[in-house]
Amino acid sequence: MKKIDPVDLEYRHSFSLLSSIVMPRPILLVATVNQEGGFNVAPYALLTGLCVKPFLVGFTVVRKRNGEKKDTQKNIESSGDFVLNVVTESLADRQNLASQDYPYGVDEFKE
């Protein structure tokens, strides 16, 4: 897997990267870790580019139908960390599996 650190990119390359992330609107897999060290991954499509320098991508986490926070939000609030991954065609089936409503603490990476 290729890793790109936008901090190291020239402005024009950073802009191109940001544009390619949000147009056309892709699905992101957001990876987080809970307080017990368990992994969570969930797909999100409501995203936008916020800034080129510093490189910022925003995504929206809505609450569950019952009003509870989703695991992704709980984990980000407790750890402050998350990783955004753009879903490619090779990940599409696994992304669909990750979209299911698993109980808190279930490792979607393994499901």
Side-chain angles (χ1 to χ4, degrees):
M1 176 185 340
K2 184 175 182 178
K3 294 183 181 182
I4 300 170
D5 187 346
V7 171
D8 299 330
L9 296 176
E10 294 176 27
Y11 182 90
R12 65 188 175 97
H13 295 290
S14 189
F15 180 83
S16 293
L17 177 62
L18 183 62
S19 296
S20 70
I21 289 173
V22 298
M23 297 181 295
R25 184 170 300 190
I27 296 174
L28 296 178
L29 282 176
V30 180
T32 60
V33 179
N34 65 27
Q35 290 180 328
E36 295 78 32
F39 296 104
N40 173 266
V41 63
Y44 287 88
L46 190 52
L47 62 127
T48 190
L50 300 174
C51 188
V52 174
K53 290 286 184 180
F55 193 85
L56 298 173
V57 176
F59 71 99
T60 302
V61 180
V62 296
R63 291 183 180 248
K64 294 180 181 182
R65 288 189 174 118
N66 65 5
E68 291 180 22
K69 292 179 180 179
K70 291 189 175 181
D71 299 349
T72 300
Q73 183 176 351
K74 292 178 190 175
N75 295 345
I76 292 171
E77 288 176 347
S78 68
S79 72
D81 294 321
F82 59 93
V83 176
L84 301 178
N85 302 278
V86 177
V87 175
T88 60
E89 187 175 350
S90 65
L91 292 175
D93 289 338
R94 297 186 65 100
Q95 171 262 297
N96 285 331
L97 292 173
S99 69
Q100 296 180 35
D101 190 18
Y102 295 102
Y104 183 76
V106 170
D107 184 344
E108 289 90 350
F109 281 104
K110 293 180 181 177
E111 297 299 321

